Amino acid sequence: MMHGEKIGLRAPQESDVHVLHSELYDNVAVRSRTDPRPWRPIPPGSGQSPFAVRDPSDEAAAFSVVELESRELVGTAGLWGIDTHNRSAHIGISLRPAFRGRGFGTDVVHTLCAYGFTVRGLQRLQIETLADNAPMIAAATSAGFVREGTLRRAAWVCGAFADEAVLGLLADDWTPRT
């Protein structure tokens, strides 16, 4: 398990799937803001659930996020689009509603950076998020990410186009937590 200050990143478990699916996938409006793919009705037990436990992959590293003190499931996080040639990856996180606004997202981003830079040896991490997602942008900038641009009207969200912010962090610019 990778440890942050408040959270741990561990391998996903079958017991996580129903909770994550019901709280993070079945809310269509919220899911549409966090995933560029169109929402489809998928049962939690389906292998097509975005939270289904999958075999390890070189292209992605999926984690369940747990609170260190209580061991309660906080959400899901990971690196995706891992490019071993260019040593880059994208970061994605999704927290259960009860855990938002409590500093967990910032801790998750910092811990994913430690994983990406020190464990995987990556040289660049990138985050794409809706331009109005202030909590994610704040979590990213607190870890040292720099806003590199805006993709205008790049996301279709519940019937309208929205801008996406692109943030990047290089290993040379990253300051690990002590």
Side-chain angles (χ1 to χ4, degrees):
M1 178 184 301
M2 292 282 302
H3 291 257
E5 293 178 352
K6 298 178 177 186
I7 59 89
L9 301 177
R10 65 158 168 77
Q13 299 172 359
E14 289 296 335
S15 59
D16 301 338
V17 175
H18 183 73
V19 173
L20 293 172
H21 194 94
S22 66
E23 291 188 31
L24 299 177
Y25 188 81
D26 283 342
N27 184 330
V28 178
V30 171
R31 184 66 185 186
S32 295
R33 292 184 50 80
T34 62
D35 191 331
R37 297 168 293 193
W39 184 89
R40 299 175 299 147
I42 299 171
S46 167
Q48 292 187 11
S49 170
F51 307 107
V53 176
R54 306 206 191 310
D55 289 333
S57 159
D58 289 337
E59 293 82 32
F63 299 98
S64 286
V65 180
V66 294
E67 184 178 20
L68 288 175
E69 188 174 309
S70 69
R71 298 288 187 206
E72 192 170 355
L73 182 64
V74 172
T76 184
L79 300 184
W80 59 275
I82 299 172
D83 180 338
T84 56
H85 177 73
N86 293 304
R87 295 177 45 207
S88 64
H90 302 263
I91 285 180
I93 73 171
S94 190
L95 304 182
R96 295 172 59 199
F99 294 93
R100 295 177 189 154
R102 296 170 46 190
F104 291 112
T106 297
D107 199 20
V108 171
V109 171
H110 281 271
T111 308
L112 285 171
C113 289
Y115 174 76
F117 292 134
T118 64
V119 176
R120 297 297 293 257
L122 300 175
Q123 67 89 25
R124 176 184 168 76
L125 293 173
Q126 182 169 309
I127 294 173
E128 300 91 9
T129 188
L130 294 179
D132 66 355
N133 188 350
M136 184 62 189
I137 293 170
T141 56
S142 78
F145 281 81
V146 175
R147 188 166 183 157
E148 296 177 332
T150 300
L151 302 175
R152 298 179 313 137
R153 296 178 51 147
W156 181 253
V157 181
C158 291
F161 284 104
D163 293 349
E164 285 185 334
V166 177
L167 300 104
L169 178 61
L170 303 178
D172 293 343
D173 298 332
W174 175 61
T175 305
R177 286 182 163 175
T178 54

